[in-house]
Amino acid sequence: MSLSDKDKSAVKALWSKIGPKADEIGAEAFGRMLTVYPQTKTYFAHWADLSPGGPQVKKHGKVIMGAVGEAVSKIDDLVGGLAALSELHAFKLRVDPANFKILAHNVIVVIGMLFPGDFTPEVHMSVDKFFQNLALALAERYR
Amino acid sequence: MVVWTDQERAYIQDIFSKLNYEEAGPKALQRTLIVYPWTQRYFASFGNLYNAEAIKSNPKVAAHGIVVLHGLDRAMKNMDDIKNTYAELSVLHSDKLHVDPDNFRLLADCLTIVIAATMGTSFTPDVQAAWQKFLAVVVSALCRQYH
């Protein structure tokens, strides 16, 4: 399900609206993922505080959302643009790619929560496709 | 057997007490049909589902969204035996409607987003966890009679 020009426009337009709150969205989404899908905590067992408001959680949410923002700017070539991140996830972090869609779901929930008027079903569809393609690009180097 | 904490029960009851069925039901089903267009395969008799605008103004979709949402009432009222509560509905979806069970999860996700959008920040991580656990149990019960 590759991204049409319409999808790309929709994602970029939404990002221009929500981008300024990226840090908050990232922290919320990441914190929610750890709470709602406790199995994801296994990757962060070395952190002291995995509660949604914890400092490491907020910081990492910011990092992740920053990368999502970068992906938006590289939307025309996600595989190429995310090559380095894919190598990181494949060889160092070894995050099971099934988790990418779990995180994507939580980002979508947070966007829906904070921007209910902008996150129409049509925009939701394009964003859902975007995250699917992002996940594929991120998993590119896995095997 | 599914174990519910008092807190989880309270969160679920609270969501249902504030739920506007006439609004949330249609929105959740419309969102599912728009975001995951292959789900339209089950609604060939509903008429015009040609584009997002058509789906959003289709009265059959809206009516059915309300029916589906009220279907969740049974689970809310029988949280300690959701499995058996949905035995009949499971057979219906498997044998008569022939719905791919993956669709239950898609609708559940869209419903979650509609509720999140309505509740805003009061849809806290803990509330989301309880709500998604509830929907996961419902989905699992609906899948049980498939053969």
Side-chain angles (χ1 to χ4, degrees):
Chain A
M1 301 183 230
S2 51
L3 296 170
S4 66
D5 288 337
K6 192 155 167 254
D7 292 321
K8 293 180 189 178
S9 307
V11 170
K12 287 185 187 165
L14 181 71
W15 190 259
S16 65
K17 194 89 199 274
I18 74 178
K21 283 201 156 180
D23 292 353
E24 190 189 329
I25 295 172
E28 258 304 320
F30 185 59
R32 264 162 208 273
M33 182 188 77
L34 296 170
T35 304
V36 181
Y37 300 87
Q39 68 269 25
T40 57
K41 293 199 279 194
T42 54
Y43 293 97
F44 305 97
H46 53 289
W47 285 3
D49 179 9
L50 286 170
S51 63
Q56 282 165 309
V57 169
K58 282 168 90 166
K59 183 164 166 240
H60 201 62
K62 194 174 148 177
V63 165
I64 293 174
M65 213 58 194
V68 170
E70 246 194 75
V72 173
S73 70
K74 295 174 183 172
I75 204 167
D76 291 314
D77 179 19
L78 286 171
V79 171
L82 296 173
L85 274 174
S86 182
E87 295 239 355
L88 175 73
H89 284 76
F91 301 118
K92 190 151 175 265
L93 305 176
R94 302 205 206 155
V95 175
D96 189 319
N99 294 291
F100 299 157
K101 74 165 81 98
I102 293 177
L103 179 56
H105 168 73
N106 284 287
V107 175
I108 281 174
V109 167
V110 172
I111 295 175
M113 240 172 68
L114 299 178
F115 300 89
D118 298 287
F119 201 58
T120 62
E122 298 94 308
V123 170
H124 176 171
M125 190 199 67
S126 297
V127 170
D128 195 73
K129 285 174 75 175
F130 168 67
F131 278 120
Q132 260 191 29
N133 281 273
L134 203 167
L136 267 174
L138 209 51
E140 178 70 21
R141 300 285 296 143
Y142 270 66
R143 54 177 176 175
Chain B
M1 208 191 91
V2 184
V3 177
W4 301 99
T5 63
D6 289 339
Q7 182 67 277
E8 285 169 336
R9 288 178 200 270
Y11 284 149
I12 303 299
Q13 298 301 324
D14 186 60
I15 290 177
F16 275 94
S17 71
K18 297 183 174 132
L19 201 52
N20 181 344
Y21 289 79
E22 282 71 35
E23 216 189 274
K27 278 186 173 166
L29 185 55
Q30 288 157 9
R31 196 168 278 260
T32 308
L33 296 171
I34 292 168
V35 179
Y36 307 106
W38 53 93
T39 57
Q40 292 167 24
R41 75 190 302 284
Y42 303 105
F43 302 99
S45 65
F46 277 24
N48 187 1
L49 298 179
Y50 192 60
N51 53 35
E53 283 319 304
I55 291 170
K56 285 191 235 184
S57 54
N58 186 313
K60 288 186 173 178
V61 171
H64 198 65
I66 300 172
V67 165
V68 168
L69 198 50
H70 276 297
L72 286 180
D73 287 344
R74 308 184 196 205
M76 184 258 300
K77 294 180 179 142
N78 292 286
M79 279 177 70
D80 292 308
D81 193 16
I82 292 178
K83 188 166 77 183
N84 287 317
T85 302
Y86 280 108
E88 241 181 75
L89 275 174
S90 181
V91 171
L92 172 76
H93 283 75
S94 161
D95 292 356
K96 189 156 173 264
L97 305 175
H98 307 293
V99 177
D100 181 337
D102 196 57
N103 291 283
F104 304 148
R105 188 184 53 81
L106 299 179
L107 178 58
D109 283 350
C110 285
L111 179 57
T112 299
I113 285 152
V114 166
I115 285 174
T118 314
M119 288 177 68
T121 47
S122 62
F123 192 63
T124 64
D126 285 341
V127 172
Q128 183 184 341
W131 177 248
Q132 291 199 206
K133 176 176 167 180
F134 173 75
L135 287 179
V137 174
V138 169
V139 167
S140 167
L142 273 175
C143 290
R144 275 199 103 241
Q145 305 296 332
Y146 274 66
H147 58 91

